[in-house]
Every structure is written in C-alpha cells, then in structure tokens.
Amino acid sequence: MSLKGRVSTGKAGLRGLPQPKGHPWGPFAHLPRWAGEPLALLEEGAALGPIFALGLGRPAVVGYSPEWNRRLLGDLETFRSKGSFSSLVPYLNGGIITTDAPAHRVKRQELNPHFHARALGGLEARIRTALQEIRPQGVFEASRWASEVAQTSLNVAYFEGQFPRAELARFLAPLKQPFPAPLWPRPLLFARMRRRIGEMQARGLGLAAHLPLEEVLIGLAAGYDTTAHTLAWALWHAACYPDWHHPAGHPLLVKETLRLYPPGFIGSRRVARALEFEGVLIPRGVLALYSPYLTHRHPDLWQNPLVFDPARFEGRIPAWGYLPFGGGERICLGMHFAQMVLGVALSLFGPLEPLQGDPQPKPGLTLAPRGALWLRAVE
C-alpha cells in the first residue's frame, strides 16, 4: 500500500471511498468487525488506499499518512474531540480530553506546569523506592506486574501513595476488561471515587491537591492501562533483545516498543465543518480517525516495519509518522510521566530471561499483549 495514492469522491462525499469488507447494514456495516477484529479491519482498509471509509454507527473516514495526521491533529477548529470515541467511555469523557478549542489551550496552559518533565523530576526517587518494594524476583508475569507498577506510580504521583490500593485497583480494573465493559456507566463506583479523591485533595496530597477533581479522574484512567501495557511489552523485549537492556538502550527500546505496539492504536475526532483533503470531500459530522498502529507499521515510512529494531531511533524519524502520544497541541499530557515510570521500572532489573508468552497485540480500549508474558529475573 502506498501513501501517495489518492481517491477522488467529488460531491459524493464518503460514498466514493473504498471500504473493507463489512455487513450490509448501512451505517453499521463495520461495527461487528470493529468490536471483534479492529486491527484486521484497519489493515484491510489501509490496503485499499491512504484514506478509507467505515460504517461505525455513523460514517467514519480513516487516514494514516503523515499529511493526514498533521491535518487532523493540528486543525483543532475543524477536528473536535467532543463527540468522538472518548465521549463514549465514562473514564475519558470529561476534563482536558473532551475540551475543544479555544478553551482547550487555556486549560492546557493551566495543567502543563504540573506535568512538565522538570516538575516531575522530584517524583522519580519516590517512584523508584516504591517500585523497588514490589520488584519481583525469579519467575514473574510481565503484564500482571506492569499493572501493579502503573497503579503504584499513579498513587505516588497523585496521592503520595496514600490512596487505598484496593479502591484504586477496583476503579481502574474495567479499563483492562474486554469490550463493552469499559463503556458501561458505573455511577456508584465513580461517586465513591470522587469522594475519596476529595478527601485526598483536602489533605493536600500530591498532584491531586493542585488539580481539579475531574482532571485527577481523567489522569488516573488515561495513565493506567497505556503505561501498563507498554511496560509489559518493554520488559519482554528487554529479555528478548538483551543488547538493548541497559540504561543507554532503554529509551530507544521503549520508543521501538511504542512504535510497534502503540497503546492508543486508534484516535478519533468529530468533523465540525466540511473540508476537502487530497480530493476527498469529508462532510460535517463524520468521524475522522487516525491510526498510530497503521502509520507506525507502514513500509513507506519505516524500513522493515515489522522488525523490532531500536537502532532505527538513532537516526531521524518521519515527521508526523510517529505518534505514540498523539501530536500537536493535544499531545498526551502524561507523556513525560509515562516515560519516567517506564525508565525506572526497566532499570530495576538485571538480566531477564524470556520463558514463554504471546506478545502479539490484542485490541481492547487500548492495545495489549494477547497472552501472558512469563519472564525470569536473573539475579
């Protein structure tokens, strides 16, 4: 498939765009496949051209070229977050995630100082101490421990480690369950969580004391399974590629892990005003999707894209071709925090031995390893 292709639809809108195989249900044609095999659906669509259409309850258009990514992530007036996929997930429906321009820039400027790399520097030693206490010895399952790492790190950052662990685990657990569990409303669970966060804020604990309650809820949810899944894969690759398992190699190993397995494998916006993109008319109200998964694995952008090779990040990376944290003004607020946690967790281990596991990606709310990843920490 080539990024240079072009499909013209003229006045026909999305009706002229290629579509992968679906069911004859009009606007719902691709919903069954989206629920069951979204990666296969995306790959099949990408093979048809650089832009393709899906029926996901309402018309959707998917692009994966750098030009598409730049346009979608840069034009905040045309491509809006409210009404996109995030609005369907109670954990992500609110706060900075669904705030659109022009209010988004103001809110982002208020939150940025708390999540800047310099502001998080003081957290690293505390997170290292907390993770050393739970570091496994001998044989362990990477995904299970990575989930514990993510919860522990979020607890330290937001609440100085004082939030009851069992309560935090119960709140976050649905994020790692299969669809449609993450979409179910849980008013009692959220009400209890808000009361407990309010208590933590009143005590002046951690980041929570400096943020609106809604942003604390959003931050916990957005930073949990994404970090946990990435760490599980990073540990597996550290074991399988020991030449990269050292302090200087970890940043590149993490980048390559995020290239092959971006937790946010799909992102969405709602088109607020009609536009034309490379001859394609995209009407108002359409869902516009971009896919880091497709972009990161495209041979026009990456040499041997399915090969795990951290050395590729020693050179230049394609502009708007690497989006593990999104891009533009709306780039992930927790990017520096996630990178710090991943680096600290990897640094706790000496040699790692891969025992057995299935690292192939399994899509849910985010991308996760398909099976357990069993490792041995060699002392």
Side-chain angles (χ1 to χ4, degrees):
M1 54 189 176
S2 172
L3 295 175
K4 299 175 182 178
R6 170 179 301 195
V7 179
S8 177
T9 63
K11 295 184 178 180
L14 299 185
R15 287 175 292 177
L17 279 176
Q19 298 185 33
K21 181 181 178 182
H23 296 269
W25 301 340
F28 300 94
H30 297 100
L31 268 181
R33 295 191 64 190
W34 185 260
E37 51 171 358
L39 295 184
L41 181 66
L42 289 171
E43 289 170 344
E44 185 179 319
L48 301 175
I51 305 175
F52 58 94
L54 295 176
L56 300 176
R58 64 176 172 179
V61 57
V62 185
Y64 53 90
S65 69
E67 295 79 13
W68 173 261
N69 296 336
R70 181 186 295 112
R71 181 72 179 274
L72 187 147
L73 294 171
D75 185 351
L76 303 189
E77 295 290 343
T78 299
F79 297 96
R80 315 288 277 183
S81 291
K82 195 171 184 63
S84 65
F85 285 162
S86 296
S87 299
L88 302 176
V89 183
Y91 285 86
L92 304 176
N93 185 21
I96 190 69
I97 288 181
T98 54
T99 300
D100 282 309
H104 176 269
R105 178 168 295 181
V106 176
K107 182 173 288 191
R108 180 76 186 219
Q109 289 173 344
E110 293 172 352
L111 297 174
N112 273 340
H114 302 292
F115 292 92
H116 195 278
R118 290 191 297 271
L120 296 171
L123 278 174
E124 184 169 347
R126 283 181 282 163
I127 287 177
R128 179 177 296 278
T129 298
L131 297 188
Q132 283 174 332
E133 294 177 359
I134 62 171
R135 184 179 74 88
Q137 297 181 350
V139 176
F140 69 101
E141 201 283 305
S143 294
R144 191 178 304 156
W145 186 69
S147 293
E148 189 176 359
V149 166
Q151 290 181 27
T152 299
S153 300
L154 289 167
N155 200 341
V156 170
Y158 280 90
F159 312 110
E160 298 179 19
Q162 299 301 304
F163 202 98
R165 294 184 180 183
E167 287 186 34
L168 184 59
R170 279 196 299 273
F171 174 68
L172 295 172
L175 290 167
K176 296 188 72 174
Q177 295 173 2
F179 273 124
L183 308 183
W184 292 341
R186 292 176 167 82
L188 293 180
L189 179 63
F190 274 71
R192 288 195 294 267
M193 192 67 180
R194 286 189 173 93
R195 285 196 297 271
R196 181 68 78 175
I197 291 174
E199 294 173 6
M200 301 287 112
Q201 290 177 317
R203 292 169 59 186
L205 295 176
L207 277 175
H210 305 284
L211 301 173
L213 190 151
E214 198 67 20
E215 299 298 345
V216 177
L217 279 171
I218 294 294
L220 293 172
Y224 171 53
D225 56 334
T226 52
T227 304
H229 295 156
T230 301
L231 177 57
W233 265 310
L235 287 164
W236 179 258
H237 288 114
C240 294
Y241 300 88
D243 288 349
W244 294 97
H245 183 28
H246 54 82
H250 287 160
L252 301 182
L253 183 145
V254 168
K255 287 180 179 179
E256 180 69 341
T257 298
L258 285 166
R259 185 190 68 81
L260 272 175
Y261 307 107
F265 66 98
I266 194 76
S268 68
R269 299 289 188 268
R270 177 180 56 83
V271 177
R273 56 190 180 193
L275 72 146
E276 184 175 318
F277 180 80
E278 296 191 359
V280 177
L281 176 64
I282 302 175
R284 179 177 179 271
V286 165
L287 276 174
L289 279 61
Y290 71 101
S291 175
Y293 179 85
L294 292 179
T295 301
H296 291 182
R297 290 169 173 247
H298 201 289
D300 284 7
L301 300 175
W302 304 93
Q303 186 176 11
N304 299 320
L306 301 185
V307 174
F308 186 85
D309 181 16
R312 70 176 81 243
F313 286 95
E314 293 175 336
R316 295 182 61 184
I317 62 174
W320 296 93
Y322 182 66
L323 306 164
F325 297 100
E329 186 177 315
R330 300 191 70 102
I331 195 167
C332 177
L333 193 63
M335 176 179 67
H336 297 300
F337 175 75
Q339 291 172 330
M340 177 183 67
V341 171
L342 293 168
V344 170
L346 286 169
S347 73
L348 298 179
F349 293 94
L352 290 167
E353 179 185 351
L355 299 179
Q356 66 178 37
D358 183 358
Q360 292 304 305
K362 179 182 178 181
L365 185 61
T366 55
L367 212 58
R370 182 172 298 279
L373 303 175
W374 289 98
L375 304 171
R376 177 182 285 113
V378 181
E379 300 298 334

